């Protein structure tokens, strides 16, 4: 069993990005810029946003942080996002989710132009992924692909099973694996015989948000297991995989924390650089 070290890989990527953002600056005389918008005081979101801003600093990306109060109006948030959309110094815009309940998230996200949509959440970018066209892909599934690639794990011809069908992880993950020539099955809460389907997977991606959902009987001997889950149980972070019992059966597995999580931010920074480079062509 090989442990896939996402923390180390993400640090390597940030160092590579630093070189690339320096080259961008030398060539165009301006910095790569990412705007991060946080509305309200959700503690988990505050941690994520702080880490994203720190990631920018380490990768040589200029961050524009905008913190709005929890009672900010729909109009105020939309006006902010529209002003960032029109700002040439801003190459990527990220609105941290979830937004407070009184806000219409869909309408706010619609203010982000597809070419600054570093999260890859827009219909245009998800559609481009489905059509295998150039676009921006959601950071977490992109991070999974990068971990597989850097671990030397082939995807072509493999049987891949994705548990979870969210717009942010499950769906784009399945499309990426399909585009890489895997045979892909997507399982979810209404899937009968879920355990037997998972047990056939060469590559199993768990993105359901239920602690230790994937047990040893659901995993084939020698499978690659990617755990996207981040669940807090008794103050401790645990994944969607029962790591202790599953790990011995696998050829490769990602831990939680230190697996997929750090890759999400690394891919956000990478997406920002790519958006900046596209803006210059
Ligand atoms: N909230 C949880 N994950 C994410 C993410 O990847 N992007 C944004 N914008 N919000 C999130």
């Amino acid at each position: 069993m090989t442990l896939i070290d996402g923390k180390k890989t993400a640090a390597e990527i940030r160092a590579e990005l630093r070189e690339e953002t320096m080259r961008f600056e030398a060539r165009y005389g301006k910095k790569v810029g990412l705007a991060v918008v946080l509305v309200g005081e959700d503690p988990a979101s505050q941690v994520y946003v702080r880490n994203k801003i720190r990631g920018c600093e380490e990768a040589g990306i200029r961050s524009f942080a905008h913190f709005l109060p929890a009672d900010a109006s729909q109009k105020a948030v939309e006006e902010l996002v529209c002003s960032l959309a029109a700002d040439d110094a801003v190459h990527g815009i990220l609105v941290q989710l979830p937004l407070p309940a009184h806000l219409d998230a869909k309408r706010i996200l619609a203010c982000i132009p597809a070419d600054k949509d570093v999260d890859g959440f827009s219909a245009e970018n998800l559609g481009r992924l489905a059509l295998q066209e150039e676009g921006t892909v959601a950071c977490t599934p992109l991070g999974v692909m990068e971990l597989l690639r850097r671990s030397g794990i082939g995807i072509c011809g493999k049987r891949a099973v994705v548990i979870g069908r969210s717009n942010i992880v499950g769906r784009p993950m399945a499309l990426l694996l399909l585009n890489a020539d895997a045979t892909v099955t997507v399982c979810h809460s209404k899937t009968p015989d879920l355990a037997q389907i998972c047990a056939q997977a060469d590559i199993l991606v768990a993105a359901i948000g239920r602690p230790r959902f994937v047990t040893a009987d659901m995993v084939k001997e020698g499978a690659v297991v990617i755990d996207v889950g981040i669940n807090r149980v008794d103050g401790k972070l645990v994944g969607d995989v029962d790591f202790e019992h599953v790990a011995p059966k696998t050829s490769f597995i990602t831990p939680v924390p230190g697996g997929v999580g750090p890759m999400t931010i690394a891919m956000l920074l990478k997406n920002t650089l790519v958006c900046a480079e596209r803006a210059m062509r």
Side-chain angles (χ1 to χ4, degrees), residues 45 48 52 94-98 109 119 121 139-140 168 264:
S45 290
Y48 293 143
K52 287 170 185 178
L94 177 145
V95 176
Q96 186 65 28
L97 302 177
L109 294 180
D119 266 324
F121 290 172
C139 307
T140 300
I168 297 180
T264 297

Side-chain angles (χ1 to χ4, degrees), residues 27-47:
R27 181 158 177 205
Y28 300 109
K30 64 195 291 193
K31 272 187 164 302
V32 177
L34 174 67
V36 181
V37 178
L38 174 62
V39 185
E41 270 131 44
D42 178 67
S45 290
Q46 284 178 329
V47 173

